[in-house]
């Protein structure tokens, strides 16, 4: 695999870690004022953008825009599943597994190419 194939995936994984904390990390701090968590989340999201924008710039051309978005969504689900288990302490159920599997099946069709 080439740099243009691997770098976007690595950068998207890292960016999704930041974005997951930006969007959901504050849930453990329900006692904090909303404006504080909004500002903190915005600050964390800045770093997500610093990784996601280069990921898409580097990857576009090797991947189509639809493929890049699909990669990002699958990574988002994987990162979120780990985050919700270990950070939020939520349970991962069979329903989650089925739902995420169906989304991954959709990703398969994006990468498969046109059906003839």
């Amino acid at each position: 695999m080439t740099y243009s194939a691997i770098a976007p995936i690595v950068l998207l994984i890292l960016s999704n870690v930041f974005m997951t904390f930006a969007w959901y990390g504050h849930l453990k701090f329900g006692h904090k004022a909303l404006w504080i968590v909004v500002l903190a989340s915005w600050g964390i999201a800045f770093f997500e953008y610093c990784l996601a924008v280069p990921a898409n710039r580097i990857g576009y051309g090797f991947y189509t825009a639809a493929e890049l978005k699909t990669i990002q969504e699958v990574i988002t689900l994987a990162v979120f599943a780990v985050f919700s288990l270990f950070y939020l302490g939520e349970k991962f159920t069979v329903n989650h597994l089925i739902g995420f599997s169906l989304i991954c099946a959709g990703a398969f069709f994006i990468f498969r190419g046109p059906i003839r």
Side-chain angles (χ1 to χ4, degrees), residues 39-77:
L39 288 177
S41 294
W42 183 79
I44 294 168
F46 170 77
F47 295 101
E48 183 269 342
Y49 278 88
C50 289
L51 296 164
V53 171
N56 289 312
R57 171 83 51 109
I58 294 165
Y60 188 65
F62 187 86
Y63 299 109
T64 66
E67 289 171 340
L68 283 166
K69 182 61 178 171
T70 302
I71 292 167
Q72 189 270 330
E73 292 299 334
V74 170
I75 290 169
T76 296
L77 288 174

Side-chain angles (χ1 to χ4, degrees), residues 18-19 21-23 26 32-47:
F18 279 103
M19 195 49 120
F21 273 96
W23 284 8
H26 63 87
K32 296 288 184 187
L34 185 58
W35 71 271
I36 292 172
V37 297
V38 167
L39 288 177
S41 294
W42 183 79
I44 294 168
F46 170 77
F47 295 101

